[in-house]
Amino acid sequence: MTTLLETRYRTVLRLLPAYYRREREEEMVETYLWDVDREVQDQSRPTFGEVASIAALAVRCRLGAPGAPRRYALLGSGVRLFALSALLLQAASAVVSPVLQLTWAFTRGASGRRMFLTEFTGRSTTETVVAVLAWTLPLLWPVAYFALVHDRRRLARYAALGAALPALWPLIRAIGSQAGDAAPPGLPWYETSAALLAWLPALALCAAYHRDAPGARLPGGSPGLVFLAGCVVTGGSLVLLPGVADLVWAPATAFVVGTAGWLVWRARGKDRTAPGAGLALAALGLLLLAVRVASLYPWLHVPGAAALLGGGLGQTAAVALLTLALAVAGGRDLARR
């Protein structure tokens, strides 16, 4: 007779994909019930640790664990490439932005240095700490990138999660300020999309680069050269076109240049990466497109913002077209394979 505890274990095990349950469900249920007296099984429940362990195993099985069916292997490959590409984009922006900021501040004399320091002084203790963390924690993005490509996965996970933390503060502050207004609060679109751009790659990194996953591999070039190229494109877009640059301009430009280059490289038949690269880059493009549109919306009715709007709308069109092209290319790759 089936006990209530066994039924509960089988319910939790439904988190696992069907192929894994067919092979291991009976063995796992016997293991969980082995040292539990039958008299108390109707009053017992799976522990939190057991449920968490099964949930982690379910994620690992669906993201390309050994012996997984083809669709799960492809999903895992795509999620890993998405995390790596987004990590590279964030890492390049995290290095270029403070370098240009410090260069500007210390080449403008005392006034420039004072203007830079006002970001961290003259505030409450909480705001000062938040400002310092918001300036320093994003520097963990390149740490996470280089740790991942050198197969230091635990360091990469912790660094990515730490680097994504500053993206939560503007969202929390926006929600808090709207909660105090008399009018019904609306969704802070830009803060939400920016937080997703930071946290989805970090969470994808934690989930897809499990202990059974293959190592990180870029579509082309050595990790250092690709990172340097990303920094050059990101910084050049800010230096050459400062009048149209906003917070999204540099990473979106790097995405446009990088994905256009990848499409040309793929068309020449030189792409040897795992399947799913096109769809992974298309997913990153959708995230960037959401941030790009959300950042432009507040400027639509601001006088004198024609240059910024023109550049932003042109960039939006480029990101949208490339995202569509990447989705088509990725779909064709999967159909061929």
Side-chain angles (χ1 to χ4, degrees):
M1 180 178 177
T2 302
T3 63
L4 187 56
L5 180 60
E6 179 180 347
T7 302
R8 287 167 175 167
Y9 273 120
R10 292 187 183 277
T11 301
V12 175
L13 289 174
R14 290 187 65 82
L15 293 172
L16 298 168
Y19 82 91
Y20 195 90
R21 292 202 310 273
R22 283 195 298 268
E23 298 176 1
R24 303 291 301 277
E25 182 175 3
E26 297 303 324
E27 177 186 350
M28 294 178 72
V29 170
E30 290 178 6
T31 301
Y32 285 128
L33 297 177
W34 178 259
D35 56 352
V36 181
D37 292 336
R38 189 172 183 85
E39 290 76 12
V40 300
Q41 287 187 12
D42 285 333
Q43 289 80 40
S44 302
R45 295 177 180 273
T47 66
F48 177 80
E50 290 170 338
V51 174
S53 176
I54 293 171
L57 177 62
V59 172
R60 190 162 67 248
C61 290
R62 286 182 165 85
L63 294 179
R70 178 176 177 271
R71 65 180 182 275
Y72 293 129
L74 292 176
L75 177 61
S77 174
V79 174
R80 285 189 291 274
L81 287 169
F82 164 77
L84 180 59
S85 303
L87 216 61
L88 172 61
L89 198 68
Q90 297 277 19
S93 299
V95 169
V96 167
S97 179
V99 167
L100 291 180
Q101 189 177 6
L102 287 173
T103 301
W104 184 91
F106 286 89
T107 56
R108 293 298 188 276
S111 60
R113 291 192 294 271
R114 281 196 301 271
M115 185 176 297
F116 171 73
L117 291 175
T118 53
E119 296 184 15
F120 311 102
T121 58
R123 303 183 178 191
S124 66
T125 303
T126 301
E127 291 177 337
T128 300
V129 171
V130 168
V132 171
L133 293 177
W135 204 87
T136 56
L137 284 180
L139 296 174
L140 291 173
W141 285 119
V143 175
Y145 167 75
F146 281 106
L148 183 61
V149 296
H150 288 93
D151 210 29
R152 302 288 298 275
R153 302 186 185 189
R154 180 175 295 182
L155 175 60
R157 294 187 195 105
Y158 292 153
L161 292 174
L165 283 176
L168 292 178
W169 176 245
L171 179 61
I172 294 172
R173 187 168 53 186
I175 293 175
S177 63
Q178 290 185 353
D181 295 339
L187 183 66
W189 292 105
Y190 175 75
E191 291 81 2
T192 302
S193 57
L196 288 175
L197 182 60
W199 277 96
L200 286 182
L203 295 176
L205 164 63
C206 295
Y209 282 98
H210 48 79
R211 64 174 179 266
D212 299 322
R217 181 187 173 191
L218 287 166
S222 65
L225 288 177
V226 173
F227 174 73
L228 180 61
C231 291
V232 170
V233 173
T234 302
S237 68
L238 295 173
V239 173
L240 296 177
L241 295 170
V244 300
D246 58 4
L247 294 175
V248 194
W249 176 262
T253 301
F255 173 82
V256 169
V257 174
T259 54
W262 180 81
L263 286 170
V264 172
W265 190 53
R266 173 187 173 276
R268 296 178 64 182
K270 296 184 177 181
D271 184 23
R272 298 293 183 269
T273 55
L279 294 180
L281 292 173
L284 179 57
L286 285 175
L287 266 180
L288 275 172
L289 192 62
V291 183
R292 176 75 279 178
V293 172
S295 67
L296 286 178
Y297 181 76
W299 295 95
L300 290 178
H301 304 292
V302 176
L308 189 146
L309 281 173
L313 291 174
Q315 193 179 64
T316 301
V319 172
L321 288 174
L322 282 169
T323 301
L324 179 60
L326 289 166
V328 172
R332 289 177 176 175
D333 285 345
L334 291 183
R336 281 202 303 268
R337 292 173 187 267

